[in-house]
Amino acid sequence: MRRLIGLWRRVATGVGLTLLLAAAVATVPTPAAAASAGTAPVTSFSYTSSPGDFIGQGRSGTFTAPQDGISALNPVEVDPGLIRVFVSDGDTDWMIEFAGAQGELLTPGVYRDAERAAFRTGRSPGLAVTGNGHGCNEVYGDFTVHQVAHDADGQVTLLDATFTQHCETADAPPLKGRVKYRAQPLSYGYTSDPGDHVGNGTTGSYTGATSTFGVRGTDRTIEYTASGKRATWSVRLEPPEGEKFVVGKVYRAERFRGQGIAALDVDGLKRGCNTLTGEFRLTRLVTDRATGEVTAFAATFVQHCEDAEPALRGTVHYFA
């Protein structure tokens, strides 16, 4: 097996760890934005074990890895749906396996009724988490893939997944965890006050498991969309006339910009504002050096429709 090997550190103790990530040869294009990401990618593994869980023995742990010194190579096994992550601190070894249905690549989404990965049947997804010298004979579980991608050679380029595993029976105490490999923030979230016209007092969160995201623009205008869970959101941001975005600056905004006034317009749940007041702040902005197009950004906003007091508040992360 060709392998990915790197050095890890455990957050609590600083002990050196080793990561091995393997995926069968198959091709899924890596999102272009991920290649031009706006923040350092995160590689980590964390778990929480309920009392009585055979694998975690009621304990919890968190491990993180710097990107330097980590490389990815292709294995020789032919199981396109399988990704393995190995973690070792010299005393304890962990292996986490995620698998789609037999012969199918993993894609972002929610995978329910998972069986033990090596012995999955029919069209069932696979999951297997072993550690502390313990493993399950039978696995009952679910997992969610927020991000996953391979390059043209089948090398895994990013992974962000969460899991819940029960050993031997479906009602056994759970082991829960999250695995990230070169993962980037990718989400849209909002809260709405009662009386806000757009959000109508609701709260929502959209991630790669349920939603798709898009962005276009430059350092003078950004148009962002998030679509999923029966809803589509759009966010338009512009600095005041004649200006470029300044990261970290809080902009006072209305629906249409002018001298000294930025533009903000957030639509969602099939509702929007005729007039509005508000503010926004870019916390990260990355543009392509050749084209000037936005490849990654992060922002927060507050919007009041029709000058009303109730507010819509949101946070955008697009690979940053």
Side-chain angles (χ1 to χ4, degrees):
M1 177 187 295
R2 299 174 67 191
R3 301 182 302 171
L4 168 72
I5 300 175
L7 295 178
W8 287 54
R9 61 179 176 84
R10 188 169 186 173
V11 172
T13 64
V15 176
L17 301 174
T18 300
L19 166 75
L20 184 153
L21 176 65
V25 177
T27 302
V28 170
T30 301
S36 303
T39 58
V42 175
T43 298
S44 64
F45 168 58
S46 61
Y47 72 93
T48 301
S49 171
S50 298
D53 165 52
F54 181 63
I55 306 301
Q57 301 286 295
R59 296 190 289 268
S60 61
T62 300
F63 307 86
T64 61
Q67 295 304 300
D68 293 340
I70 296 179
S71 59
L73 300 173
N74 302 326
V76 296
E77 290 93 347
V78 182
D79 187 348
L82 182 65
I83 293 176
R84 290 191 183 110
V85 178
F86 293 86
V87 182
S88 176
D89 65 2
D91 297 319
T92 302
D93 296 321
W94 286 86
M95 181 177 74
I96 306 96
E97 293 183 317
F98 300 105
Q102 292 282 358
E104 295 183 4
L105 280 172
L106 283 172
T107 58
V110 179
Y111 294 78
R112 304 190 188 280
D113 300 321
E115 302 175 0
R116 186 176 170 187
F119 302 101
R120 63 197 190 277
T121 61
R123 299 196 55 76
S124 296
L127 172 68
V129 184
T130 62
N132 298 314
H134 299 102
C136 305
N137 292 308
E138 295 284 345
V139 168
Y140 297 81
D142 307 291
F143 63 92
T144 298
V145 177
H146 299 285
Q147 297 179 64
V148 63
H150 307 70
D151 66 13
D153 297 321
Q155 173 182 316
V156 176
T157 55
L158 64 90
L159 173 68
D160 183 356
T162 58
F163 65 84
T164 299
Q165 174 180 275
H166 305 267
C167 260
E168 315 311 341
T169 64
D171 59 356
L175 172 70
K176 298 183 179 182
R178 185 160 196 164
V179 178
K180 293 184 179 183
Y181 175 70
R182 296 180 178 175
Q184 296 284 346
L186 182 64
S187 64
Y188 172 73
Y190 76 91
T191 60
S192 170
D193 295 336
D196 166 54
H197 176 65
V198 176
N200 199 28
T202 62
T203 298
S205 178
Y206 301 79
T207 69
T210 61
S211 308
T212 58
F213 308 91
V215 67
R216 64 179 182 179
T218 65
D219 57 5
R220 295 179 183 272
T221 182
I222 294 175
E223 295 180 3
Y224 167 85
T225 59
S227 178
K229 302 197 295 188
R230 302 177 184 268
T232 297
W233 288 84
S234 66
V235 179
R236 178 174 59 86
L237 306 174
E238 297 177 354
E241 287 183 358
E243 298 184 20
K244 296 181 179 180
F245 286 119
V246 176
V247 173
K249 180 178 179 178
V250 176
Y251 289 95
R252 183 166 60 90
E254 299 177 2
R255 188 178 179 194
F256 301 104
R257 68 178 175 178
Q259 289 293 328
I261 301 294
L264 168 68
D265 194 3
V266 183
D267 295 340
L269 306 177
K270 299 181 180 180
R271 292 186 288 270
C273 306
N274 293 309
T275 62
L276 64 86
T277 57
E279 64 181 40
F280 68 86
R281 180 170 70 96
L282 291 180
T283 56
R284 188 73 177 174
L285 178 63
V286 180
T287 57
D288 184 272
R289 292 183 179 179
T291 67
E293 292 293 315
V294 173
T295 57
F297 86 103
T300 61
F301 66 83
V302 179
Q303 174 178 281
H304 303 266
C305 264
E306 323 307 339
D307 297 323
E309 183 177 350
L312 174 73
R313 299 173 177 85
T315 303
V316 176
H317 288 285
Y318 188 81
F319 296 108

